[in-house]
Amino acid sequence: MPEKENKVKTSKKTSPKKTAGKTQSKTKSRTGTTTAKKKPRSSTARKKRSIVNIIAALVILCVLLLGFNLVLVLKLVPNLKNSLKQGTGTAQTQVQQDKTSTEQKRNEPLTAAQEPSPPVIVPQVAAQAQPHTDSAVQQKRQNTPAAQQKTASSQEKAPTANKTTPAAQPAPHSPAAASAPASHTASAAQKDTAKKEKPVVHPAPQKNPIPEKSVAPDKKNTASKKNTVPEKPAVPDKKKAVQAVQPVQPAAKPEKPRKRAPYAGNLTFVFDDAGHNLDQLEHFLRLPFPCTIAVLPGLRYSSESARRIRKAGKQVILHQPMQSVDLHINPGPGAVTPGLSAEQIKNIVRKNLEEIWPVAGMNNHEGSLMTADEAAMSAVLDVVAEKHIFFLDSRTTARSVVAKVAKEKNMAVWERAIFIDNDKSRAAMETQIKKGLSIARQKGSAIMIGHVFTIELAELLTEMYPALIEDGFSLSAIAQVAQKGTVNFGN
């Protein structure tokens, strides 16, 4: 029995320990869960605290900036006030100066008008002493032009300075002035008139100075009309007029017209190779004198070039391609070449003429080989005679037989005298033109050939044209009619 009791006691003693351990384990588990649960709460709290700190810092910065701005404004406001005061002060001073200047200008004519004031007092005394003369005086005042000026000045709101002046002249001649009463009445009248005239001496300045300035000359005019002495017109200052005229230089004497030189000869300028480019052609279409332009057949702008040349009033001819001595040179489309029959040559030339027709004549392009061939040139000249046009031999070779064949056919032909632009420098072209001028003086005419791709030639001839006319030369295109069987160097 005692053993059982001991066991029970021991079990009872040990049970609190177990319970204590259980409670501790439960509390540990609870604390662990709470800590696990509190960890996320602590991170969110930290974030909230950091956001709050940032907002507080921003608020502090804004407050500091506002305070700084207020300090700056407080410092700048006095300066602005001072500047505004200074500006208003300067504006007031300028306004005062303007007022004083306008018052001075107003007072100047008033003082001039107030000088004859003593005689004004007499008629007023006489008017008070003898009232029976007022009607006559009023009639005179109405008839005088001064009364009209009063009405005009009253409409313009002018000062009342002219009210007492018109009766100044009739007072000494009236009998009332001689029979005036005692000095007591005169002194009383003078006091009254002085009181009336006080506002005239110092008139109040009006806002609009323009009508007042117009009134001032009216006062002078009234004074002049009262004295019946016409105003002298303003005499111009001779010294000032002389000084103004001195810098003007006298007009240059016109030069004597230059005597025109006697007739020196006729010049004909021919420009080859049109049909390649329309822009280059335009420079020669603007030349201020008549000329001849030769158009190549079978090119892109052949027909258009011929149309523009005719429209510009220049002469169009066919620039017929022919084979040269150098067989490697291609004369171009529609060329007359060796080995062709006479009929073939005629057909080629007819076709080329039809492309740019109507034309006045034709000349050869290249052709140093074919112009030396009598059969070929005979066929070409047959077409020339058929179409009633002329032929110009460009003389690309000294062995040309064109003149010989033409003489056999009793035809007139033309020959070139000078090639201008073999060397395209300005000095070289000038020397070639001068050679042509000497030929024209000797033979009466000269045909000079250039090319449309030499734009500098067009500029040079435009500059030289007035001098050529003054030297006695005439300029023209190639004549279509000449004496048969002759070789011509121009018109």
Side-chain angles (χ1 to χ4, degrees), residues 74-104:
L74 291 171
K75 287 183 179 180
L76 292 172
V77 164
N79 294 327
L80 289 171
K81 288 181 179 178
N82 292 328
S83 62
L84 290 171
K85 287 179 181 179
Q86 289 177 358
T88 53
T90 54
Q92 288 177 358
T93 54
Q94 288 180 357
V95 170
Q96 289 177 358
Q97 289 177 358
D98 294 334
K99 286 182 178 179
T100 53
S101 61
T102 53
E103 285 178 358
Q104 288 177 359

PDB file of all heavy atoms in Angstrom, residues 74-104:
ATOM      1  N   LEU A  74      10.292  90.427 -50.798  1.00  0.00           N
ATOM      2  CA  LEU A  74      10.364  91.563 -49.883  1.00  0.00           C
ATOM      3  C   LEU A  74      11.532  92.480 -50.202  1.00  0.00           C
ATOM      4  O   LEU A  74      11.468  93.690 -50.015  1.00  0.00           O
ATOM      5  CB  LEU A  74      10.461  91.057 -48.443  1.00  0.00           C
ATOM      6  CG  LEU A  74       9.189  90.367 -47.899  1.00  0.00           C
ATOM      7  CD1 LEU A  74       9.487  89.728 -46.551  1.00  0.00           C
ATOM      8  CD2 LEU A  74       8.052  91.373 -47.770  1.00  0.00           C
ATOM      9  N   LYS A  75      12.623  91.886 -50.696  1.00  0.00           N
ATOM     10  CA  LYS A  75      13.767  92.728 -51.063  1.00  0.00           C
ATOM     11  C   LYS A  75      13.533  93.460 -52.371  1.00  0.00           C
ATOM     12  O   LYS A  75      14.000  94.582 -52.564  1.00  0.00           O
ATOM     13  CB  LYS A  75      15.019  91.853 -51.175  1.00  0.00           C
ATOM     14  CG  LYS A  75      15.541  91.401 -49.831  1.00  0.00           C
ATOM     15  CD  LYS A  75      16.818  90.597 -49.997  1.00  0.00           C
ATOM     16  CE  LYS A  75      17.378  90.161 -48.634  1.00  0.00           C
ATOM     17  NZ  LYS A  75      18.620  89.374 -48.785  1.00  0.00           N
ATOM     18  N   LEU A  76      12.842  92.797 -53.317  1.00  0.00           N
ATOM     19  CA  LEU A  76      12.665  93.410 -54.628  1.00  0.00           C
ATOM     20  C   LEU A  76      11.540  94.440 -54.653  1.00  0.00           C
ATOM     21  O   LEU A  76      11.551  95.347 -55.481  1.00  0.00           O
ATOM     22  CB  LEU A  76      12.365  92.326 -55.666  1.00  0.00           C
ATOM     23  CG  LEU A  76      13.519  91.367 -55.979  1.00  0.00           C
ATOM     24  CD1 LEU A  76      13.033  90.232 -56.858  1.00  0.00           C
ATOM     25  CD2 LEU A  76      14.632  92.124 -56.688  1.00  0.00           C
ATOM     26  N   VAL A  77      10.532  94.297 -53.777  1.00  0.00           N
ATOM     27  CA  VAL A  77       9.398  95.214 -53.798  1.00  0.00           C
ATOM     28  C   VAL A  77       9.810  96.665 -53.576  1.00  0.00           C
ATOM     29  O   VAL A  77       9.374  97.571 -54.293  1.00  0.00           O
ATOM     30  CB  VAL A  77       8.331  94.757 -52.780  1.00  0.00           C
ATOM     31  CG1 VAL A  77       7.328  95.865 -52.497  1.00  0.00           C
ATOM     32  CG2 VAL A  77       7.606  93.534 -53.309  1.00  0.00           C
ATOM     33  N   PRO A  78      10.681  96.953 -52.598  1.00  0.00           N
ATOM     34  CA  PRO A  78      11.103  98.366 -52.448  1.00  0.00           C
ATOM     35  C   PRO A  78      11.785  98.919 -53.686  1.00  0.00           C
ATOM     36  O   PRO A  78      11.565 100.065 -54.062  1.00  0.00           O
ATOM     37  CB  PRO A  78      12.057  98.330 -51.233  1.00  0.00           C
ATOM     38  CG  PRO A  78      11.759  97.055 -50.539  1.00  0.00           C
ATOM     39  CD  PRO A  78      11.256  96.104 -51.543  1.00  0.00           C
ATOM     40  N   ASN A  79      12.647  98.073 -54.320  1.00  0.00           N
ATOM     41  CA  ASN A  79      13.317  98.543 -55.533  1.00  0.00           C
ATOM     42  C   ASN A  79      12.313  98.849 -56.629  1.00  0.00           C
ATOM     43  O   ASN A  79      12.435  99.846 -57.356  1.00  0.00           O
ATOM     44  CB  ASN A  79      14.311  97.485 -56.011  1.00  0.00           C
ATOM     45  CG  ASN A  79      15.450  97.296 -55.017  1.00  0.00           C
ATOM     46  OD1 ASN A  79      15.861  98.250 -54.349  1.00  0.00           O
ATOM     47  ND2 ASN A  79      15.959  96.074 -54.919  1.00  0.00           N
ATOM     48  N   LEU A  80      11.298  97.969 -56.750  1.00  0.00           N
ATOM     49  CA  LEU A  80      10.287  98.222 -57.769  1.00  0.00           C
ATOM     50  C   LEU A  80       9.513  99.499 -57.470  1.00  0.00           C
ATOM     51  O   LEU A  80       9.208 100.292 -58.362  1.00  0.00           O
ATOM     52  CB  LEU A  80       9.316  97.035 -57.830  1.00  0.00           C
ATOM     53  CG  LEU A  80       9.874  95.731 -58.427  1.00  0.00           C
ATOM     54  CD1 LEU A  80       8.894  94.601 -58.229  1.00  0.00           C
ATOM     55  CD2 LEU A  80      10.163  95.918 -59.908  1.00  0.00           C
ATOM     56  N   LYS A  81       9.194  99.691 -56.170  1.00  0.00           N
ATOM     57  CA  LYS A  81       8.490 100.917 -55.817  1.00  0.00           C
ATOM     58  C   LYS A  81       9.308 102.146 -56.150  1.00  0.00           C
ATOM     59  O   LYS A  81       8.803 103.138 -56.676  1.00  0.00           O
ATOM     60  CB  LYS A  81       8.164 100.893 -54.329  1.00  0.00           C
ATOM     61  CG  LYS A  81       7.052  99.907 -53.964  1.00  0.00           C
ATOM     62  CD  LYS A  81       6.759  99.957 -52.479  1.00  0.00           C
ATOM     63  CE  LYS A  81       5.619  98.987 -52.108  1.00  0.00           C
ATOM     64  NZ  LYS A  81       5.357  99.007 -50.658  1.00  0.00           N
ATOM     65  N   ASN A  82      10.608 102.088 -55.845  1.00  0.00           N
ATOM     66  CA  ASN A  82      11.475 103.238 -56.139  1.00  0.00           C
ATOM     67  C   ASN A  82      11.528 103.510 -57.631  1.00  0.00           C
ATOM     68  O   ASN A  82      11.476 104.656 -58.079  1.00  0.00           O
ATOM     69  CB  ASN A  82      12.879 102.971 -55.594  1.00  0.00           C
ATOM     70  CG  ASN A  82      12.895 102.939 -54.067  1.00  0.00           C
ATOM     71  OD1 ASN A  82      12.098 103.649 -53.416  1.00  0.00           O
ATOM     72  ND2 ASN A  82      13.761 102.130 -53.487  1.00  0.00           N
ATOM     73  N   SER A  83      11.682 102.409 -58.425  1.00  0.00           N
ATOM     74  CA  SER A  83      11.754 102.602 -59.878  1.00  0.00           C
ATOM     75  C   SER A  83      10.450 103.181 -60.419  1.00  0.00           C
ATOM     76  O   SER A  83      10.453 104.048 -61.286  1.00  0.00           O
ATOM     77  CB  SER A  83      12.064 101.277 -60.565  1.00  0.00           C
ATOM     78  OG  SER A  83      11.028 100.339 -60.321  1.00  0.00           O
ATOM     79  N   LEU A  84       9.316 102.692 -59.868  1.00  0.00           N
ATOM     80  CA  LEU A  84       8.031 103.235 -60.308  1.00  0.00           C
ATOM     81  C   LEU A  84       7.890 104.702 -59.937  1.00  0.00           C
ATOM     82  O   LEU A  84       7.397 105.525 -60.717  1.00  0.00           O
ATOM     83  CB  LEU A  84       6.888 102.428 -59.700  1.00  0.00           C
ATOM     84  CG  LEU A  84       6.706 101.000 -60.238  1.00  0.00           C
ATOM     85  CD1 LEU A  84       5.700 100.240 -59.408  1.00  0.00           C
ATOM     86  CD2 LEU A  84       6.251 101.046 -61.692  1.00  0.00           C
ATOM     87  N   LYS A  85       8.340 105.038 -58.725  1.00  0.00           N
ATOM     88  CA  LYS A  85       8.288 106.439 -58.318  1.00  0.00           C
ATOM     89  C   LYS A  85       9.136 107.310 -59.230  1.00  0.00           C
ATOM     90  O   LYS A  85       8.745 108.403 -59.626  1.00  0.00           O
ATOM     91  CB  LYS A  85       8.762 106.570 -56.875  1.00  0.00           C
ATOM     92  CG  LYS A  85       7.740 106.045 -55.858  1.00  0.00           C
ATOM     93  CD  LYS A  85       8.277 106.174 -54.454  1.00  0.00           C
ATOM     94  CE  LYS A  85       7.277 105.640 -53.417  1.00  0.00           C
ATOM     95  NZ  LYS A  85       7.798 105.735 -52.043  1.00  0.00           N
ATOM     96  N   GLN A  86      10.356 106.811 -59.522  1.00  0.00           N
ATOM     97  CA  GLN A  86      11.228 107.591 -60.405  1.00  0.00           C
ATOM     98  C   GLN A  86      10.588 107.772 -61.776  1.00  0.00           C
ATOM     99  O   GLN A  86      10.646 108.839 -62.366  1.00  0.00           O
ATOM    100  CB  GLN A  86      12.577 106.884 -60.545  1.00  0.00           C
ATOM    101  CG  GLN A  86      13.416 106.942 -59.274  1.00  0.00           C
ATOM    102  CD  GLN A  86      14.707 106.182 -59.416  1.00  0.00           C
ATOM    103  OE1 GLN A  86      14.939 105.582 -60.455  1.00  0.00           O
ATOM    104  NE2 GLN A  86      15.544 106.207 -58.374  1.00  0.00           N
ATOM    105  N   GLY A  87       9.993 106.652 -62.307  1.00  0.00           N
ATOM    106  CA  GLY A  87       9.355 106.751 -63.619  1.00  0.00           C
ATOM    107  C   GLY A  87       8.219 107.749 -63.626  1.00  0.00           C
ATOM    108  O   GLY A  87       8.081 108.561 -64.533  1.00  0.00           O
ATOM    109  N   THR A  88       7.382 107.685 -62.575  1.00  0.00           N
ATOM    110  CA  THR A  88       6.271 108.635 -62.511  1.00  0.00           C
ATOM    111  C   THR A  88       6.774 110.066 -62.329  1.00  0.00           C
ATOM    112  O   THR A  88       6.215 111.011 -62.885  1.00  0.00           O
ATOM    113  CB  THR A  88       5.341 108.262 -61.342  1.00  0.00           C
ATOM    114  OG1 THR A  88       6.133 108.141 -60.128  1.00  0.00           O
ATOM    115  CG2 THR A  88       4.636 106.945 -61.608  1.00  0.00           C
ATOM    116  N   GLY A  89       7.877 110.211 -61.544  1.00  0.00           N
ATOM    117  CA  GLY A  89       8.442 111.556 -61.347  1.00  0.00           C
ATOM    118  C   GLY A  89       8.948 112.137 -62.655  1.00  0.00           C
ATOM    119  O   GLY A  89       8.710 113.292 -62.967  1.00  0.00           O
ATOM    120  N   THR A  90       9.679 111.303 -63.449  1.00  0.00           N
ATOM    121  CA  THR A  90      10.179 111.792 -64.736  1.00  0.00           C
ATOM    122  C   THR A  90       9.033 112.117 -65.673  1.00  0.00           C
ATOM    123  O   THR A  90       9.076 113.108 -66.407  1.00  0.00           O
ATOM    124  CB  THR A  90      11.088 110.734 -65.367  1.00  0.00           C
ATOM    125  OG1 THR A  90      10.372 109.471 -65.430  1.00  0.00           O
ATOM    126  CG2 THR A  90      12.357 110.555 -64.577  1.00  0.00           C
ATOM    127  N   ALA A  91       7.988 111.275 -65.642  1.00  0.00           N
ATOM    128  CA  ALA A  91       6.841 111.548 -66.516  1.00  0.00           C
ATOM    129  C   ALA A  91       6.166 112.860 -66.123  1.00  0.00           C
ATOM    130  O   ALA A  91       5.780 113.662 -66.982  1.00  0.00           O
ATOM    131  CB  ALA A  91       5.843 110.396 -66.426  1.00  0.00           C
ATOM    132  N   GLN A  92       6.054 113.086 -64.791  1.00  0.00           N
ATOM    133  CA  GLN A  92       5.433 114.337 -64.345  1.00  0.00           C
ATOM    134  C   GLN A  92       6.259 115.545 -64.751  1.00  0.00           C
ATOM    135  O   GLN A  92       5.735 116.574 -65.161  1.00  0.00           O
ATOM    136  CB  GLN A  92       5.250 114.298 -62.827  1.00  0.00           C
ATOM    137  CG  GLN A  92       4.144 113.345 -62.374  1.00  0.00           C
ATOM    138  CD  GLN A  92       4.032 113.254 -60.881  1.00  0.00           C
ATOM    139  OE1 GLN A  92       4.818 113.894 -60.181  1.00  0.00           O
ATOM    140  NE2 GLN A  92       3.073 112.462 -60.390  1.00  0.00           N
ATOM    141  N   THR A  93       7.599 115.406 -64.602  1.00  0.00           N
ATOM    142  CA  THR A  93       8.463 116.532 -64.998  1.00  0.00           C
ATOM    143  C   THR A  93       8.338 116.815 -66.482  1.00  0.00           C
ATOM    144  O   THR A  93       8.296 117.975 -66.903  1.00  0.00           O
ATOM    145  CB  THR A  93       9.920 116.214 -64.636  1.00  0.00           C
ATOM    146  OG1 THR A  93      10.269 114.938 -65.219  1.00  0.00           O
ATOM    147  CG2 THR A  93      10.118 116.160 -63.133  1.00  0.00           C
ATOM    148  N   GLN A  94       8.281 115.745 -67.299  1.00  0.00           N
ATOM    149  CA  GLN A  94       8.121 115.963 -68.737  1.00  0.00           C
ATOM    150  C   GLN A  94       6.793 116.644 -69.033  1.00  0.00           C
ATOM    151  O   GLN A  94       6.706 117.538 -69.871  1.00  0.00           O
ATOM    152  CB  GLN A  94       8.204 114.625 -69.474  1.00  0.00           C
ATOM    153  CG  GLN A  94       9.613 114.053 -69.507  1.00  0.00           C
ATOM    154  CD  GLN A  94       9.666 112.725 -70.234  1.00  0.00           C
ATOM    155  OE1 GLN A  94       8.642 112.214 -70.652  1.00  0.00           O
ATOM    156  NE2 GLN A  94      10.861 112.180 -70.366  1.00  0.00           N
ATOM    157  N   VAL A  95       5.735 116.209 -68.327  1.00  0.00           N
ATOM    158  CA  VAL A  95       4.429 116.823 -68.552  1.00  0.00           C
ATOM    159  C   VAL A  95       4.453 118.287 -68.154  1.00  0.00           C
ATOM    160  O   VAL A  95       3.909 119.162 -68.840  1.00  0.00           O
ATOM    161  CB  VAL A  95       3.350 116.043 -67.761  1.00  0.00           C
ATOM    162  CG1 VAL A  95       2.024 116.795 -67.780  1.00  0.00           C
ATOM    163  CG2 VAL A  95       3.161 114.656 -68.353  1.00  0.00           C
ATOM    164  N   GLN A  96       5.122 118.566 -67.015  1.00  0.00           N
ATOM    165  CA  GLN A  96       5.212 119.965 -66.582  1.00  0.00           C
ATOM    166  C   GLN A  96       5.988 120.807 -67.578  1.00  0.00           C
ATOM    167  O   GLN A  96       5.624 121.943 -67.880  1.00  0.00           O
ATOM    168  CB  GLN A  96       5.872 120.031 -65.202  1.00  0.00           C
ATOM    169  CG  GLN A  96       4.959 119.503 -64.078  1.00  0.00           C
ATOM    170  CD  GLN A  96       5.655 119.503 -62.741  1.00  0.00           C
ATOM    171  OE1 GLN A  96       6.841 119.860 -62.665  1.00  0.00           O
ATOM    172  NE2 GLN A  96       4.951 119.100 -61.691  1.00  0.00           N
ATOM    173  N   GLN A  97       7.106 120.243 -68.080  1.00  0.00           N
ATOM    174  CA  GLN A  97       7.882 120.981 -69.077  1.00  0.00           C
ATOM    175  C   GLN A  97       7.054 121.250 -70.323  1.00  0.00           C
ATOM    176  O   GLN A  97       7.103 122.340 -70.908  1.00  0.00           O
ATOM    177  CB  GLN A  97       9.140 120.182 -69.440  1.00  0.00           C
ATOM    178  CG  GLN A  97      10.181 120.159 -68.320  1.00  0.00           C
ATOM    179  CD  GLN A  97      11.376 119.314 -68.685  1.00  0.00           C
ATOM    180  OE1 GLN A  97      11.404 118.726 -69.764  1.00  0.00           O
ATOM    181  NE2 GLN A  97      12.354 119.252 -67.782  1.00  0.00           N
ATOM    182  N   ASP A  98       6.290 120.229 -70.755  1.00  0.00           N
ATOM    183  CA  ASP A  98       5.448 120.433 -71.927  1.00  0.00           C
ATOM    184  C   ASP A  98       4.403 121.517 -71.675  1.00  0.00           C
ATOM    185  O   ASP A  98       4.120 122.351 -72.537  1.00  0.00           O
ATOM    186  CB  ASP A  98       4.741 119.123 -72.308  1.00  0.00           C
ATOM    187  CG  ASP A  98       5.730 118.068 -72.761  1.00  0.00           C
ATOM    188  OD1 ASP A  98       6.808 118.463 -73.242  1.00  0.00           O
ATOM    189  OD2 ASP A  98       5.416 116.867 -72.629  1.00  0.00           O
ATOM    190  N   LYS A  99       3.843 121.505 -70.448  1.00  0.00           N
ATOM    191  CA  LYS A  99       2.847 122.523 -70.128  1.00  0.00           C
ATOM    192  C   LYS A  99       3.438 123.914 -70.135  1.00  0.00           C
ATOM    193  O   LYS A  99       2.864 124.871 -70.657  1.00  0.00           O
ATOM    194  CB  LYS A  99       2.232 122.232 -68.759  1.00  0.00           C
ATOM    195  CG  LYS A  99       1.256 121.066 -68.767  1.00  0.00           C
ATOM    196  CD  LYS A  99       0.667 120.873 -67.383  1.00  0.00           C
ATOM    197  CE  LYS A  99      -0.358 119.718 -67.378  1.00  0.00           C
ATOM    198  NZ  LYS A  99      -0.934 119.503 -66.042  1.00  0.00           N
ATOM    199  N   THR A 100       4.632 124.038 -69.522  1.00  0.00           N
ATOM    200  CA  THR A 100       5.279 125.358 -69.488  1.00  0.00           C
ATOM    201  C   THR A 100       5.599 125.843 -70.888  1.00  0.00           C
ATOM    202  O   THR A 100       5.425 127.024 -71.206  1.00  0.00           O
ATOM    203  CB  THR A 100       6.551 125.287 -68.642  1.00  0.00           C
ATOM    204  OG1 THR A 100       7.372 124.211 -69.138  1.00  0.00           O
ATOM    205  CG2 THR A 100       6.236 125.038 -67.177  1.00  0.00           C
ATOM    206  N   SER A 101       6.093 124.917 -71.743  1.00  0.00           N
ATOM    207  CA  SER A 101       6.428 125.330 -73.116  1.00  0.00           C
ATOM    208  C   SER A 101       5.177 125.777 -73.865  1.00  0.00           C
ATOM    209  O   SER A 101       5.182 126.780 -74.589  1.00  0.00           O
ATOM    210  CB  SER A 101       7.095 124.182 -73.858  1.00  0.00           C
ATOM    211  OG  SER A 101       6.218 123.086 -73.945  1.00  0.00           O
ATOM    212  N   THR A 102       4.091 125.018 -73.688  1.00  0.00           N
ATOM    213  CA  THR A 102       2.851 125.418 -74.363  1.00  0.00           C
ATOM    214  C   THR A 102       2.309 126.745 -73.819  1.00  0.00           C
ATOM    215  O   THR A 102       1.816 127.592 -74.571  1.00  0.00           O
ATOM    216  CB  THR A 102       1.778 124.325 -74.187  1.00  0.00           C
ATOM    217  OG1 THR A 102       1.647 124.020 -72.786  1.00  0.00           O
ATOM    218  CG2 THR A 102       2.151 123.070 -74.942  1.00  0.00           C
ATOM    219  N   GLU A 103       2.452 126.956 -72.490  1.00  0.00           N
ATOM    220  CA  GLU A 103       1.989 128.219 -71.921  1.00  0.00           C
ATOM    221  C   GLU A 103       2.810 129.387 -72.435  1.00  0.00           C
ATOM    222  O   GLU A 103       2.290 130.462 -72.722  1.00  0.00           O
ATOM    223  CB  GLU A 103       2.076 128.145 -70.396  1.00  0.00           C
ATOM    224  CG  GLU A 103       0.969 127.285 -69.778  1.00  0.00           C
ATOM    225  CD  GLU A 103       1.118 127.182 -68.266  1.00  0.00           C
ATOM    226  OE1 GLU A 103       2.092 127.754 -67.748  1.00  0.00           O
ATOM    227  OE2 GLU A 103       0.274 126.537 -67.625  1.00  0.00           O
ATOM    228  N   GLN A 104       4.136 129.166 -72.575  1.00  0.00           N
ATOM    229  CA  GLN A 104       4.977 130.234 -73.108  1.00  0.00           C
ATOM    230  C   GLN A 104       4.570 130.583 -74.530  1.00  0.00           C
ATOM    231  O   GLN A 104       4.513 131.746 -74.914  1.00  0.00           O
ATOM    232  CB  GLN A 104       6.437 129.800 -73.066  1.00  0.00           C
ATOM    233  CG  GLN A 104       7.015 129.777 -71.638  1.00  0.00           C
ATOM    234  CD  GLN A 104       8.433 129.273 -71.626  1.00  0.00           C
ATOM    235  OE1 GLN A 104       8.973 128.930 -72.672  1.00  0.00           O
ATOM    236  NE2 GLN A 104       9.043 129.235 -70.445  1.00  0.00           N
TER     237      GLN A 104
END
